Amino acid sequence: MSSEDRDHDPLARLAALLGRLPGIGEKSALRLALALVRAEPEYVAKLVEAIAGVQTRLRLCEICCDLSSSEICSRCKDVRRDHKLICVVAQPQDRMALERTGIYRGLYHVLHGVLDPRANVGPADIQVGALLKRLSPAHGSEPVQEIIVATSPNLEGDSTALYLARLIAPLGVRVTRIASGVAVGGELEYADVTTLHRALEERRVL
Ligand SMILES: [Zn+2]
């Protein structure tokens, strides 16, 4: 089907758009599009609203850079959390995976990427500056005592952790790394609760 035909065929157009999402192949995209054709109109209306709102109603938390519906996210506002501890993750889904374990009660910082020279991703392209800002004594809040770097145990994750350690350790803040070799398969977001628990418990100083 040419792109012009697709523009005139609502089903093909929807399937083509859905197929651009990660992990959705051509067949899945068509299956989803067909399910929407048959779905209750109220459900479709809610879905449309949710999709539209995901960009307009979400922003980055001014402190931790995680996705948030308000200026400061609920985790940064939570006084029951340990504000002396910051766990640094690459993506919001990594924070969500750690939060699911229920064992970590400190704060987070979301980098939105890792250092990757081959893809031209440098420190200025991820949220390193915002992290440093949280460590400056002038910030006013409780001084941070430990940064736990929880990037995935692969080349980019490891070099990001080392970079942060070199940058932050001279400021007198302890920098630790979640235990590598514990996370089977490598990607933090797919690790199970027991694995993440061990990775956190067995963290080492960088
Ligand atoms: Zn926050």
Side-chain angles (χ1 to χ4, degrees), residues 17-35:
L17 288 169
L18 290 169
R20 279 158 60 176
L21 292 168
I24 309 278
E26 212 174 309
K27 277 186 188 166
S28 300
L30 188 58
R31 202 178 307 135
L32 288 173
L34 282 166

Side-chain angles (χ1 to χ4, degrees), residues 53-62 65-73 75 112:
V54 90
Q55 286 199 334
T56 55
R57 295 175 59 189
L58 278 180
R59 58 170 91 187
L60 298 192
C61 167
E62 288 186 1
C65 303
D66 199 354
L67 296 173
S68 171
S69 52
S70 53
E71 273 178 31
I72 311 289
C73 77
R75 288 163 297 283
H112 293 277

